[in-house]
PDB file of all heavy atoms in Angstrom:
ATOM      1  N   ASN C   1      69.634  95.797  63.055  1.00 95.00           N
ATOM      2  CA  ASN C   1      70.728  95.234  62.259  1.00 95.00           C
ATOM      3  C   ASN C   1      70.275  94.108  61.343  1.00 95.00           C
ATOM      4  O   ASN C   1      71.091  93.519  60.636  1.00 95.00           O
ATOM      5  CB  ASN C   1      71.845  94.716  63.184  1.00 95.00           C
ATOM      6  CG  ASN C   1      72.578  95.847  63.875  1.00 95.00           C
ATOM      7  OD1 ASN C   1      72.623  96.966  63.370  1.00 95.00           O
ATOM      8  ND2 ASN C   1      73.146  95.568  65.040  1.00 95.00           N
ATOM      9  N   GLY C   2      68.977  93.806  61.362  1.00 95.00           N
ATOM     10  CA  GLY C   2      68.453  92.779  60.478  1.00 95.00           C
ATOM     11  C   GLY C   2      68.205  93.308  59.085  1.00 95.00           C
ATOM     12  O   GLY C   2      68.417  94.491  58.783  1.00 95.00           O
ATOM     13  N   PHE C   3      67.731  92.442  58.226  1.00 96.00           N
ATOM     14  CA  PHE C   3      67.487  92.791  56.823  1.00 96.00           C
ATOM     15  C   PHE C   3      66.538  93.972  56.688  1.00 96.00           C
ATOM     16  O   PHE C   3      66.865  94.986  56.060  1.00 96.00           O
ATOM     17  CB  PHE C   3      66.941  91.551  56.108  1.00 96.00           C
ATOM     18  CG  PHE C   3      66.322  91.811  54.763  1.00 96.00           C
ATOM     19  CD1 PHE C   3      66.985  92.564  53.801  1.00 96.00           C
ATOM     20  CD2 PHE C   3      65.079  91.289  54.450  1.00 96.00           C
ATOM     21  CE1 PHE C   3      66.411  92.794  52.551  1.00 96.00           C
ATOM     22  CE2 PHE C   3      64.505  91.506  53.217  1.00 96.00           C
ATOM     23  CZ  PHE C   3      65.163  92.269  52.273  1.00 96.00           C
ATOM     24  N   VAL C   4      65.363  93.870  57.295  1.00 97.00           N
ATOM     25  CA  VAL C   4      64.395  94.967  57.205  1.00 97.00           C
ATOM     26  C   VAL C   4      64.901  96.187  57.951  1.00 97.00           C
ATOM     27  O   VAL C   4      64.798  97.320  57.473  1.00 97.00           O
ATOM     28  CB  VAL C   4      63.017  94.526  57.734  1.00 97.00           C
ATOM     29  CG1 VAL C   4      62.038  95.697  57.709  1.00 97.00           C
ATOM     30  CG2 VAL C   4      62.469  93.367  56.916  1.00 97.00           C
ATOM     31  N   GLY C   5      65.463  95.968  59.126  1.00 97.00           N
ATOM     32  CA  GLY C   5      65.945  97.081  59.943  1.00 97.00           C
ATOM     33  C   GLY C   5      66.988  97.918  59.237  1.00 97.00           C
ATOM     34  O   GLY C   5      66.924  99.160  59.264  1.00 97.00           O
ATOM     35  N   LYS C   6      67.964  97.284  58.599  1.00 98.00           N
ATOM     36  CA  LYS C   6      69.016  98.030  57.906  1.00 98.00           C
ATOM     37  C   LYS C   6      68.433  98.897  56.798  1.00 98.00           C
ATOM     38  O   LYS C   6      68.818 100.062  56.622  1.00 98.00           O
ATOM     39  CB  LYS C   6      70.041  97.066  57.311  1.00 98.00           C
ATOM     40  CG  LYS C   6      70.993  96.447  58.313  1.00 98.00           C
ATOM     41  CD  LYS C   6      71.969  95.528  57.597  1.00 98.00           C
ATOM     42  CE  LYS C   6      72.938  94.875  58.576  1.00 98.00           C
ATOM     43  NZ  LYS C   6      73.867  93.943  57.880  1.00 98.00           N
ATOM     44  N   ASN C   7      67.519  98.320  56.025  1.00 98.00           N
ATOM     45  CA  ASN C   7      66.921  99.077  54.928  1.00 98.00           C
ATOM     46  C   ASN C   7      66.050 100.213  55.433  1.00 98.00           C
ATOM     47  O   ASN C   7      66.073 101.319  54.875  1.00 98.00           O
ATOM     48  CB  ASN C   7      66.105  98.133  54.030  1.00 98.00           C
ATOM     49  CG  ASN C   7      66.968  97.362  53.056  1.00 98.00           C
ATOM     50  OD1 ASN C   7      67.270  97.833  51.967  1.00 98.00           O
ATOM     51  ND2 ASN C   7      67.378  96.163  53.447  1.00 98.00           N
ATOM     52  N   LEU C   8      65.276  99.955  56.478  1.00 98.00           N
ATOM     53  CA  LEU C   8      64.407 100.997  57.026  1.00 98.00           C
ATOM     54  C   LEU C   8      65.234 102.130  57.621  1.00 98.00           C
ATOM     55  O   LEU C   8      64.974 103.315  57.342  1.00 98.00           O
ATOM     56  CB  LEU C   8      63.475 100.412  58.085  1.00 98.00           C
ATOM     57  CG  LEU C   8      62.569 101.412  58.801  1.00 98.00           C
ATOM     58  CD1 LEU C   8      61.671 102.156  57.820  1.00 98.00           C
ATOM     59  CD2 LEU C   8      61.735 100.715  59.879  1.00 98.00           C
ATOM     60  N   VAL C   9      66.230 101.792  58.428  1.00 98.00           N
ATOM     61  CA  VAL C   9      67.065 102.827  59.054  1.00 98.00           C
ATOM     62  C   VAL C   9      67.776 103.658  57.985  1.00 98.00           C
ATOM     63  O   VAL C   9      67.848 104.895  58.084  1.00 98.00           O
ATOM     64  CB  VAL C   9      68.079 102.196  60.032  1.00 98.00           C
ATOM     65  CG1 VAL C   9      69.132 103.219  60.454  1.00 98.00           C
ATOM     66  CG2 VAL C   9      67.358 101.639  61.257  1.00 98.00           C
ATOM     67  N   ALA C  10      68.294 103.009  56.945  1.00 98.00           N
ATOM     68  CA  ALA C  10      68.986 103.737  55.880  1.00 98.00           C
ATOM     69  C   ALA C  10      68.061 104.747  55.224  1.00 98.00           C
ATOM     70  O   ALA C  10      68.460 105.892  54.953  1.00 98.00           O
ATOM     71  CB  ALA C  10      69.538 102.761  54.849  1.00 98.00           C
ATOM     72  N   GLN C  11      66.804 104.353  54.971  1.00 98.00           N
ATOM     73  CA  GLN C  11      65.864 105.271  54.327  1.00 98.00           C
ATOM     74  C   GLN C  11      65.437 106.381  55.283  1.00 98.00           C
ATOM     75  O   GLN C  11      65.315 107.543  54.881  1.00 98.00           O
ATOM     76  CB  GLN C  11      64.642 104.507  53.814  1.00 98.00           C
ATOM     77  CG  GLN C  11      63.747 105.302  52.894  1.00 98.00           C
ATOM     78  CD  GLN C  11      64.379 105.542  51.532  1.00 98.00           C
ATOM     79  OE1 GLN C  11      65.479 106.097  51.424  1.00 98.00           O
ATOM     80  NE2 GLN C  11      63.684 105.129  50.486  1.00 98.00           N
ATOM     81  N   LEU C  12      65.221 106.034  56.540  1.00 98.00           N
ATOM     82  CA  LEU C  12      64.858 107.059  57.520  1.00 98.00           C
ATOM     83  C   LEU C  12      65.962 108.117  57.627  1.00 98.00           C
ATOM     84  O   LEU C  12      65.681 109.312  57.781  1.00 98.00           O
ATOM     85  CB  LEU C  12      64.595 106.427  58.890  1.00 98.00           C
ATOM     86  CG  LEU C  12      63.348 105.548  59.011  1.00 98.00           C
ATOM     87  CD1 LEU C  12      63.289 104.901  60.395  1.00 98.00           C
ATOM     88  CD2 LEU C  12      62.073 106.361  58.759  1.00 98.00           C
ATOM     89  N   ARG C  13      67.208 107.671  57.518  1.00 98.00           N
ATOM     90  CA  ARG C  13      68.316 108.632  57.604  1.00 98.00           C
ATOM     91  C   ARG C  13      68.332 109.567  56.395  1.00 98.00           C
ATOM     92  O   ARG C  13      68.643 110.755  56.525  1.00 98.00           O
ATOM     93  CB  ARG C  13      69.641 107.896  57.729  1.00 98.00           C
ATOM     94  CG  ARG C  13      69.792 107.177  59.063  1.00 98.00           C
ATOM     95  CD  ARG C  13      71.237 106.988  59.471  1.00 98.00           C
ATOM     96  NE  ARG C  13      71.327 106.280  60.754  1.00 98.00           N
ATOM     97  CZ  ARG C  13      71.102 106.852  61.928  1.00 98.00           C
ATOM     98  NH1 ARG C  13      70.763 108.125  61.989  1.00 98.00           N
ATOM     99  NH2 ARG C  13      71.202 106.145  63.035  1.00 98.00           N
ATOM    100  N   THR C  14      68.004 109.043  55.210  1.00 98.00           N
ATOM    101  CA  THR C  14      67.959 109.932  54.039  1.00 98.00           C
ATOM    102  C   THR C  14      66.876 110.994  54.211  1.00 98.00           C
ATOM    103  O   THR C  14      67.033 112.128  53.747  1.00 98.00           O
ATOM    104  CB  THR C  14      67.697 109.152  52.738  1.00 98.00           C
ATOM    105  OG1 THR C  14      66.378 108.603  52.737  1.00 98.00           O
ATOM    106  CG2 THR C  14      68.718 108.047  52.541  1.00 98.00           C
ATOM    107  N   ILE C  15      65.793 110.619  54.880  1.00 97.00           N
ATOM    108  CA  ILE C  15      64.716 111.582  55.132  1.00 97.00           C
ATOM    109  C   ILE C  15      65.162 112.590  56.182  1.00 97.00           C
ATOM    110  O   ILE C  15      65.003 113.811  56.018  1.00 97.00           O
ATOM    111  CB  ILE C  15      63.438 110.854  55.585  1.00 97.00           C
ATOM    112  CG1 ILE C  15      62.933 109.913  54.488  1.00 97.00           C
ATOM    113  CG2 ILE C  15      62.357 111.859  55.961  1.00 97.00           C
ATOM    114  CD1 ILE C  15      61.825 108.981  54.936  1.00 97.00           C
ATOM    115  N   ALA C  16      65.732 112.088  57.284  1.00 97.00           N
ATOM    116  CA  ALA C  16      66.148 112.954  58.391  1.00 97.00           C
ATOM    117  C   ALA C  16      67.207 113.958  57.952  1.00 97.00           C
ATOM    118  O   ALA C  16      67.239 115.101  58.424  1.00 97.00           O
ATOM    119  CB  ALA C  16      66.666 112.106  59.552  1.00 97.00           C
ATOM    120  N   GLU C  17      68.086 113.543  57.035  1.00 96.00           N
ATOM    121  CA  GLU C  17      69.180 114.399  56.585  1.00 96.00           C
ATOM    122  C   GLU C  17      68.781 115.298  55.418  1.00 96.00           C
ATOM    123  O   GLU C  17      69.618 116.023  54.881  1.00 96.00           O
ATOM    124  CB  GLU C  17      70.375 113.526  56.191  1.00 96.00           C
ATOM    125  CG  GLU C  17      70.975 112.763  57.377  1.00 96.00           C
ATOM    126  CD  GLU C  17      71.925 111.662  56.961  1.00 96.00           C
ATOM    127  OE1 GLU C  17      72.170 111.521  55.734  1.00 96.00           O
ATOM    128  OE2 GLU C  17      72.413 110.937  57.842  1.00 96.00           O
ATOM    129  N   GLY C  18      67.511 115.261  55.040  1.00 94.00           N
ATOM    130  CA  GLY C  18      67.027 116.128  53.972  1.00 94.00           C
ATOM    131  C   GLY C  18      67.424 115.700  52.579  1.00 94.00           C
ATOM    132  O   GLY C  18      67.261 116.453  51.617  1.00 94.00           O
ATOM    133  N   LYS C  19      67.920 114.470  52.427  1.00 96.00           N
ATOM    134  CA  LYS C  19      68.345 113.982  51.118  1.00 96.00           C
ATOM    135  C   LYS C  19      67.188 113.408  50.312  1.00 96.00           C
ATOM    136  O   LYS C  19      67.280 113.293  49.089  1.00 96.00           O
ATOM    137  CB  LYS C  19      69.420 112.906  51.293  1.00 96.00           C
ATOM    138  CG  LYS C  19      70.681 113.376  51.994  1.00 96.00           C
ATOM    139  CD  LYS C  19      71.625 112.201  52.246  1.00 96.00           C
ATOM    140  CE  LYS C  19      72.880 112.646  52.983  1.00 96.00           C
ATOM    141  NZ  LYS C  19      73.767 111.495  53.303  1.00 96.00           N
ATOM    142  N   ASN C  20      66.136 113.004  50.990  1.00 96.00           N
ATOM    143  CA  ASN C  20      65.019 112.326  50.333  1.00 96.00           C
ATOM    144  C   ASN C  20      63.734 113.108  50.577  1.00 96.00           C
ATOM    145  O   ASN C  20      63.204 113.121  51.685  1.00 96.00           O
ATOM    146  CB  ASN C  20      64.882 110.901  50.887  1.00 96.00           C
ATOM    147  CG  ASN C  20      63.900 110.067  50.094  1.00 96.00           C
ATOM    148  OD1 ASN C  20      63.076 110.587  49.332  1.00 96.00           O
ATOM    149  ND2 ASN C  20      63.961 108.753  50.267  1.00 96.00           N
ATOM    150  N   LYS C  21      63.252 113.776  49.531  1.00 94.00           N
ATOM    151  CA  LYS C  21      62.041 114.586  49.637  1.00 94.00           C
ATOM    152  C   LYS C  21      60.816 113.875  49.055  1.00 94.00           C
ATOM    153  O   LYS C  21      59.731 114.458  49.008  1.00 94.00           O
ATOM    154  CB  LYS C  21      62.238 115.906  48.888  1.00 94.00           C
ATOM    155  CG  LYS C  21      63.432 116.733  49.355  1.00 94.00           C
ATOM    156  CD  LYS C  21      63.250 117.270  50.751  1.00 94.00           C
ATOM    157  CE  LYS C  21      64.380 118.245  51.108  1.00 94.00           C
ATOM    158  NZ  LYS C  21      64.239 118.772  52.486  1.00 94.00           N
ATOM    159  N   SER C  22      60.988 112.629  48.625  1.00 94.00           N
ATOM    160  CA  SER C  22      59.920 111.950  47.891  1.00 94.00           C
ATOM    161  C   SER C  22      58.723 111.593  48.771  1.00 94.00           C
ATOM    162  O   SER C  22      57.644 111.299  48.252  1.00 94.00           O
ATOM    163  CB  SER C  22      60.460 110.686  47.220  1.00 94.00           C
ATOM    164  OG  SER C  22      60.965 109.769  48.183  1.00 94.00           O
ATOM    165  N   TYR C  23      58.901 111.599  50.087  1.00 96.00           N
ATOM    166  CA  TYR C  23      57.796 111.251  50.979  1.00 96.00           C
ATOM    167  C   TYR C  23      57.066 112.472  51.529  1.00 96.00           C
ATOM    168  O   TYR C  23      56.173 112.340  52.356  1.00 96.00           O
ATOM    169  CB  TYR C  23      58.320 110.422  52.160  1.00 96.00           C
ATOM    170  CG  TYR C  23      58.888 109.082  51.772  1.00 96.00           C
ATOM    171  CD1 TYR C  23      60.272 108.858  51.782  1.00 96.00           C
ATOM    172  CD2 TYR C  23      58.063 108.028  51.409  1.00 96.00           C
ATOM    173  CE1 TYR C  23      60.799 107.626  51.441  1.00 96.00           C
ATOM    174  CE2 TYR C  23      58.588 106.787  51.065  1.00 96.00           C
ATOM    175  CZ  TYR C  23      59.948 106.591  51.088  1.00 96.00           C
ATOM    176  OH  TYR C  23      60.476 105.367  50.753  1.00 96.00           O
ATOM    177  N   GLY C  24      57.433 113.643  51.085  1.00 94.00           N
ATOM    178  CA  GLY C  24      56.844 114.849  51.646  1.00 94.00           C
ATOM    179  C   GLY C  24      57.563 115.265  52.911  1.00 94.00           C
ATOM    180  O   GLY C  24      58.650 114.771  53.237  1.00 94.00           O
ATOM    181  N   GLU C  25      56.953 116.172  53.645  1.00 92.00           N
ATOM    182  CA  GLU C  25      57.584 116.697  54.861  1.00 92.00           C
ATOM    183  C   GLU C  25      57.397 115.733  56.026  1.00 92.00           C
ATOM    184  O   GLU C  25      56.279 115.459  56.448  1.00 92.00           O
ATOM    185  CB  GLU C  25      57.003 118.068  55.209  1.00 92.00           C
ATOM    186  CG  GLU C  25      57.430 119.181  54.261  1.00 92.00           C
ATOM    187  CD  GLU C  25      58.936 119.403  54.253  1.00 92.00           C
ATOM    188  OE1 GLU C  25      59.541 119.348  55.349  1.00 92.00           O
ATOM    189  OE2 GLU C  25      59.495 119.628  53.171  1.00 92.00           O
ATOM    190  N   ILE C  26      58.504 115.200  56.531  1.00 95.00           N
ATOM    191  CA  ILE C  26      58.488 114.367  57.733  1.00 95.00           C
ATOM    192  C   ILE C  26      59.614 114.859  58.632  1.00 95.00           C
ATOM    193  O   ILE C  26      60.780 114.877  58.225  1.00 95.00           O
ATOM    194  CB  ILE C  26      58.706 112.870  57.412  1.00 95.00           C
ATOM    195  CG1 ILE C  26      57.707 112.386  56.370  1.00 95.00           C
ATOM    196  CG2 ILE C  26      58.582 112.034  58.685  1.00 95.00           C
ATOM    197  CD1 ILE C  26      57.949 110.950  55.928  1.00 95.00           C
ATOM    198  N   ASN C  27      59.264 115.256  59.833  1.00 95.00           N
ATOM    199  CA  ASN C  27      60.258 115.784  60.764  1.00 95.00           C
ATOM    200  C   ASN C  27      60.787 114.653  61.637  1.00 95.00           C
ATOM    201  O   ASN C  27      60.132 114.225  62.580  1.00 95.00           O
ATOM    202  CB  ASN C  27      59.635 116.887  61.624  1.00 95.00           C
ATOM    203  CG  ASN C  27      60.649 117.517  62.563  1.00 95.00           C
ATOM    204  OD1 ASN C  27      61.863 117.409  62.355  1.00 95.00           O
ATOM    205  ND2 ASN C  27      60.165 118.165  63.611  1.00 95.00           N
ATOM    206  N   ILE C  28      61.969 114.158  61.306  1.00 97.00           N
ATOM    207  CA  ILE C  28      62.583 113.065  62.055  1.00 97.00           C
ATOM    208  C   ILE C  28      63.719 113.621  62.901  1.00 97.00           C
ATOM    209  O   ILE C  28      64.611 114.293  62.390  1.00 97.00           O
ATOM    210  CB  ILE C  28      63.101 111.967  61.107  1.00 97.00           C
ATOM    211  CG1 ILE C  28      61.929 111.321  60.353  1.00 97.00           C
ATOM    212  CG2 ILE C  28      63.881 110.905  61.884  1.00 97.00           C
ATOM    213  CD1 ILE C  28      62.355 110.256  59.360  1.00 97.00           C
ATOM    214  N   GLY C  29      63.661 113.324  64.187  1.00 97.00           N
ATOM    215  CA  GLY C  29      64.713 113.745  65.105  1.00 97.00           C
ATOM    216  C   GLY C  29      65.763 112.655  65.245  1.00 97.00           C
ATOM    217  O   GLY C  29      66.576 112.431  64.348  1.00 97.00           O
ATOM    218  N   GLU C  30      65.709 111.929  66.365  1.00 98.00           N
ATOM    219  CA  GLU C  30      66.658 110.846  66.594  1.00 98.00           C
ATOM    220  C   GLU C  30      66.109 109.526  66.051  1.00 98.00           C
ATOM    221  O   GLU C  30      64.903 109.276  66.082  1.00 98.00           O
ATOM    222  CB  GLU C  30      66.934 110.697  68.099  1.00 98.00           C
ATOM    223  CG  GLU C  30      67.616 111.896  68.733  1.00 98.00           C
ATOM    224  CD  GLU C  30      69.008 112.126  68.191  1.00 98.00           C
ATOM    225  OE1 GLU C  30      69.678 111.138  67.840  1.00 98.00           O
ATOM    226  OE2 GLU C  30      69.434 113.293  68.116  1.00 98.00           O
ATOM    227  N   ILE C  31      67.019 108.701  65.560  1.00 98.00           N
ATOM    228  CA  ILE C  31      66.680 107.347  65.159  1.00 98.00           C
ATOM    229  C   ILE C  31      67.437 106.406  66.089  1.00 98.00           C
ATOM    230  O   ILE C  31      68.667 106.319  66.038  1.00 98.00           O
ATOM    231  CB  ILE C  31      67.062 107.075  63.688  1.00 98.00           C
ATOM    232  CG1 ILE C  31      66.350 108.056  62.759  1.00 98.00           C
ATOM    233  CG2 ILE C  31      66.718 105.630  63.307  1.00 98.00           C
ATOM    234  CD1 ILE C  31      66.838 108.006  61.317  1.00 98.00           C
ATOM    235  N   TYR C  32      66.707 105.726  66.955  1.00 98.00           N
ATOM    236  CA  TYR C  32      67.310 104.834  67.941  1.00 98.00           C
ATOM    237  C   TYR C  32      67.367 103.424  67.366  1.00 98.00           C
ATOM    238  O   TYR C  32      66.333 102.839  67.029  1.00 98.00           O
ATOM    239  CB  TYR C  32      66.516 104.829  69.236  1.00 98.00           C
ATOM    240  CG  TYR C  32      66.328 106.197  69.848  1.00 98.00           C
ATOM    241  CD1 TYR C  32      65.053 106.674  70.135  1.00 98.00           C
ATOM    242  CD2 TYR C  32      67.415 107.014  70.138  1.00 98.00           C
ATOM    243  CE1 TYR C  32      64.860 107.922  70.698  1.00 98.00           C
ATOM    244  CE2 TYR C  32      67.241 108.268  70.697  1.00 98.00           C
ATOM    245  CZ  TYR C  32      65.960 108.723  70.973  1.00 98.00           C
ATOM    246  OH  TYR C  32      65.773 109.960  71.526  1.00 98.00           O
ATOM    247  N   GLU C  33      68.566 102.872  67.261  1.00 98.00           N
ATOM    248  CA  GLU C  33      68.751 101.536  66.707  1.00 98.00           C
ATOM    249  C   GLU C  33      69.014 100.549  67.837  1.00 98.00           C
ATOM    250  O   GLU C  33      70.016 100.636  68.549  1.00 98.00           O
ATOM    251  CB  GLU C  33      69.924 101.529  65.726  1.00 98.00           C
ATOM    252  CG  GLU C  33      69.734 102.477  64.546  1.00 98.00           C
ATOM    253  CD  GLU C  33      70.929 102.485  63.619  1.00 98.00           C
ATOM    254  OE1 GLU C  33      71.411 101.389  63.268  1.00 98.00           O
ATOM    255  OE2 GLU C  33      71.402 103.590  63.257  1.00 98.00           O
ATOM    256  N   TYR C  34      68.091  99.614  68.003  1.00 97.00           N
ATOM    257  CA  TYR C  34      68.207  98.604  69.060  1.00 97.00           C
ATOM    258  C   TYR C  34      68.322  97.235  68.424  1.00 97.00           C
ATOM    259  O   TYR C  34      67.558  96.896  67.526  1.00 97.00           O
ATOM    260  CB  TYR C  34      66.984  98.652  69.983  1.00 97.00           C
ATOM    261  CG  TYR C  34      67.070  97.683  71.143  1.00 97.00           C
ATOM    262  CD1 TYR C  34      67.640  98.054  72.349  1.00 97.00           C
ATOM    263  CD2 TYR C  34      66.577  96.383  71.027  1.00 97.00           C
ATOM    264  CE1 TYR C  34      67.734  97.160  73.408  1.00 97.00           C
ATOM    265  CE2 TYR C  34      66.664  95.483  72.069  1.00 97.00           C
ATOM    266  CZ  TYR C  34      67.248  95.875  73.266  1.00 97.00           C
ATOM    267  OH  TYR C  34      67.335  94.987  74.306  1.00 97.00           O
ATOM    268  N   ASP C  35      69.286  96.436  68.909  1.00 95.00           N
ATOM    269  CA  ASP C  35      69.436  95.086  68.387  1.00 95.00           C
ATOM    270  C   ASP C  35      69.930  94.171  69.511  1.00 95.00           C
ATOM    271  O   ASP C  35      70.025  94.586  70.679  1.00 95.00           O
ATOM    272  CB  ASP C  35      70.386  95.064  67.188  1.00 95.00           C
ATOM    273  CG  ASP C  35      70.025  93.960  66.197  1.00 95.00           C
ATOM    274  OD1 ASP C  35      70.484  92.818  66.385  1.00 95.00           O
ATOM    275  OD2 ASP C  35      69.246  94.240  65.270  1.00 95.00           O
ATOM    276  N   ILE C  36      70.286  92.965  69.158  1.00 91.00           N
ATOM    277  CA  ILE C  36      70.584  91.950  70.156  1.00 91.00           C
ATOM    278  C   ILE C  36      71.769  92.323  71.046  1.00 91.00           C
ATOM    279  O   ILE C  36      71.863  91.881  72.197  1.00 91.00           O
ATOM    280  CB  ILE C  36      70.833  90.583  69.463  1.00 91.00           C
ATOM    281  CG1 ILE C  36      70.809  89.455  70.489  1.00 91.00           C
ATOM    282  CG2 ILE C  36      72.125  90.612  68.655  1.00 91.00           C
ATOM    283  CD1 ILE C  36      70.776  88.072  69.858  1.00 91.00           C
ATOM    284  N   ASP C  37      72.687  93.143  70.536  1.00 94.00           N
ATOM    285  CA  ASP C  37      73.853  93.527  71.331  1.00 94.00           C
ATOM    286  C   ASP C  37      73.638  94.832  72.100  1.00 94.00           C
ATOM    287  O   ASP C  37      74.557  95.341  72.744  1.00 94.00           O
ATOM    288  CB  ASP C  37      75.092  93.637  70.445  1.00 94.00           C
ATOM    289  CG  ASP C  37      74.903  94.600  69.285  1.00 94.00           C
ATOM    290  OD1 ASP C  37      73.779  95.084  69.091  1.00 94.00           O
ATOM    291  OD2 ASP C  37      75.899  94.854  68.570  1.00 94.00           O
ATOM    292  N   SER C  38      72.418  95.383  72.026  1.00 95.00           N
ATOM    293  CA  SER C  38      72.112  96.594  72.794  1.00 95.00           C
ATOM    294  C   SER C  38      71.839  96.231  74.245  1.00 95.00           C
ATOM    295  O   SER C  38      71.603  95.068  74.587  1.00 95.00           O
ATOM    296  CB  SER C  38      70.888  97.309  72.200  1.00 95.00           C
ATOM    297  OG  SER C  38      71.109  97.654  70.850  1.00 95.00           O
ATOM    298  N   THR C  39      71.849  97.224  75.130  1.00 96.00           N
ATOM    299  CA  THR C  39      71.696  96.979  76.566  1.00 96.00           C
ATOM    300  C   THR C  39      70.276  97.292  77.027  1.00 96.00           C
ATOM    301  O   THR C  39      69.561  98.079  76.390  1.00 96.00           O
ATOM    302  CB  THR C  39      72.670  97.857  77.362  1.00 96.00           C
ATOM    303  OG1 THR C  39      72.295  99.241  77.189  1.00 96.00           O
ATOM    304  CG2 THR C  39      74.107  97.657  76.885  1.00 96.00           C
ATOM    305  N   PRO C  40      69.859  96.717  78.169  1.00 95.00           N
ATOM    306  CA  PRO C  40      68.557  97.063  78.745  1.00 95.00           C
ATOM    307  C   PRO C  40      68.436  98.556  79.044  1.00 95.00           C
ATOM    308  O   PRO C  40      67.351  99.136  78.924  1.00 95.00           O
ATOM    309  CB  PRO C  40      68.503  96.227  80.018  1.00 95.00           C
ATOM    310  CG  PRO C  40      69.423  95.075  79.758  1.00 95.00           C
ATOM    311  CD  PRO C  40      70.519  95.635  78.913  1.00 95.00           C
ATOM    312  N   GLU C  41      69.544  99.166  79.431  1.00 97.00           N
ATOM    313  CA  GLU C  41      69.530 100.597  79.727  1.00 97.00           C
ATOM    314  C   GLU C  41      69.224 101.415  78.473  1.00 97.00           C
ATOM    315  O   GLU C  41      68.509 102.424  78.531  1.00 97.00           O
ATOM    316  CB  GLU C  41      70.882 101.027  80.305  1.00 97.00           C
ATOM    317  CG  GLU C  41      71.185 100.493  81.701  1.00 97.00           C
ATOM    318  CD  GLU C  41      71.592  99.029  81.703  1.00 97.00           C
ATOM    319  OE1 GLU C  41      72.006  98.517  80.624  1.00 97.00           O
ATOM    320  OE2 GLU C  41      71.503  98.389  82.772  1.00 97.00           O
ATOM    321  N   GLN C  42      69.762 100.976  77.350  1.00 97.00           N
ATOM    322  CA  GLN C  42      69.458 101.662  76.089  1.00 97.00           C
ATOM    323  C   GLN C  42      67.983 101.514  75.734  1.00 97.00           C
ATOM    324  O   GLN C  42      67.342 102.473  75.305  1.00 97.00           O
ATOM    325  CB  GLN C  42      70.331 101.097  74.965  1.00 97.00           C
ATOM    326  CG  GLN C  42      71.781 101.530  75.028  1.00 97.00           C
ATOM    327  CD  GLN C  42      72.615 100.867  73.949  1.00 97.00           C
ATOM    328  OE1 GLN C  42      72.613  99.637  73.803  1.00 97.00           O
ATOM    329  NE2 GLN C  42      73.348 101.675  73.191  1.00 97.00           N
TER     330      GLN C  42
END
């Protein structure tokens, strides 16, 4: 949820959803977002 994290996650999602082909073929499955309000179990 930080500055870098938000930007990185947003771009990773464009790749995972097939919207961004500029980086070549990258097979992204799940993107796990962990921040200060996340739990130890997560």
Side-chain angles (χ1 to χ4, degrees):
N1 290 334
F3 166 49
V4 177
K6 285 181 180 178
N7 280 274
L8 177 59
V9 168
Q11 192 71 303
L12 291 175
R13 292 206 180 283
T14 67
I15 298 170
E17 295 166 3
K19 299 174 182 177
N20 189 343
K21 303 292 188 181
S22 61
Y23 296 106
E25 288 299 320
I26 306 175
N27 183 19
I28 296 178
E30 296 295 328
I31 301 171
Y32 304 124
E33 300 178 47
Y34 183 90
D35 211 274
I36 194 169
D37 56 353
S38 302
T39 66
E41 291 76 19
Q42 286 176 307

